[in-house]
Amino acid sequence: MKMFNAYLYLLSPLHTGGTSQEGNLVGIAKESHTDLPYLPSSTIRGRLRADTKQNQKILWGNTIEDITSGSAENLTQGALWVGDGGILYFPVSSLSHGVVWVTSPFLLRRWIRLTNHNLTPPEVGSFSGGNSDNLYLRDTIFKSNELKAWDKWADFIPQGSEETKNISQVLVLSEHDCKVLIESSLWRQVRVNLNDKKEADAFRYEEAIPPETLMFFPWGTTTTLKAEEVKTACNGFQNLLEDNIKQIGGQESLGRGFVEIWTDYSEDKLINTQNNQEEAAIC
C-alpha cells in the first residue's frame, strides 16, 4: 500500500455537517477524542468520486445503485482510499498582528508522522514573529517574554500552493489553549427560520471552519492493486486535482466549502517509496 498526503486551503467557510444539534446551534463534525473539527473522509471521497470523469469504478469502486440496477452483482473495492481531513494551521484574529495561524505540537506531530519529514515539533510559545512585542490574540495576551523566536517555522509549512504564502505568522500553543482558541474562533452565522406566513419564527447558529485554514488528509492505493497498477491509480488521483479549486461539504448554495486542493505525490516519490520498501523487505 502506498500513502501520500493532500492539502486543503480553505477559500470560504467549510461546513462539514455535524452529527448533533444542541439547542439552536447546528454544529460541525468533530473528532470524538480531541473535539477538534475535521473533514470526514466520506465527504472528501464523495466529492472526488463525483469529479472523476473516466475510470470512476476502477478508482473508487461501484455503488449500491449499481447492484440494485443490475449492472453489477457485488460491491467492488476501488484502487484508491482517502483518510479524514485534519487541521494543521487555524487562523485567529489578533489586535496586534492582524491574523495569526495557531497550531500545537500534537497537530504538527500528526502531520510529521504522515509525511516522514525529519522534523521535531517546536516548543510551546514558539512564534514566527519573534518575541520583541506582546501578542494580543482574541481575549489572551502573550507577553513578549513568554514567546520564543521560531526561525525555522517555514520548514513546517507544506509546499505546492501559492496560498500557503499567506501563512506568515505562526504560533505554537499547548493542546488545551489551541483547542479553546479554535472552538472560540469557528465561523458562526445566524440563520432565521420562517413560518408558513413568511414571518420570523426562530433562529439558529450554524458553525463552519473559517477561510484561510490549512487542512490535510492522507490518501493512497489499496492493497488489492498489482504493482504495475499503482502508478496508474496514483496518476489518476493527481489528474483529479488538476482543477485544484473544488467545493466540499454542505451549504453549496451559500458559497461554502470552496478549497484549493493539491497533493505531495510525484512519480519520483512513488519510485523512492517502492525502492525503500524493497530494501526493507530484503533486510
Side-chain angles (χ1 to χ4, degrees), residues 99-174:
V99 179
V100 173
W101 280 261
V102 300
T103 187
S104 71
F106 172 73
L107 297 180
L108 291 173
R109 279 193 294 269
R110 272 185 167 182
W111 174 69
I112 293 171
R113 181 175 62 214
L114 292 175
T115 56
N116 294 320
H117 287 322
N118 187 22
L119 297 171
T120 301
E123 298 180 62
V124 171
S126 297
F127 182 45
S128 63
N131 55 1
S132 58
D133 300 310
N134 294 341
L135 172 60
Y136 295 81
L137 205 59
R138 292 189 66 86
D139 299 329
T140 306
I141 301 176
F142 293 89
K143 299 293 186 180
S144 58
N145 58 6
E146 298 174 335
L147 301 173
K148 303 176 180 66
W150 187 13
D151 297 329
K152 297 183 177 181
W153 63 272
D155 295 341
F156 292 79
I157 305 296
Q159 303 300 307
S161 171
E162 289 293 313
E163 295 295 340
T164 58
K165 293 182 179 179
N166 292 332
I167 305 176
S168 57
Q169 301 184 112
V170 183
L171 174 66
V172 180
L173 298 173
S174 67

Side-chain angles (χ1 to χ4, degrees), residues 56-116:
Q56 186 182 79
K57 293 181 181 179
I58 295 175
L59 293 179
W60 304 108
N62 58 9
T63 63
I64 294 294
E65 287 74 14
D66 295 322
I67 305 298
T68 56
S69 65
S71 60
E73 294 183 359
N74 299 298
L75 290 174
T76 57
Q77 186 178 34
L80 298 172
W81 63 269
V82 295
D84 294 330
I87 292 174
L88 184 55
Y89 293 106
F90 189 95
V92 177
S93 175
S94 168
L95 291 175
S96 59
H97 291 73
V99 179
V100 173
W101 280 261
V102 300
T103 187
S104 71
F106 172 73
L107 297 180
L108 291 173
R109 279 193 294 269
R110 272 185 167 182
W111 174 69
I112 293 171
R113 181 175 62 214
L114 292 175
T115 56
N116 294 320

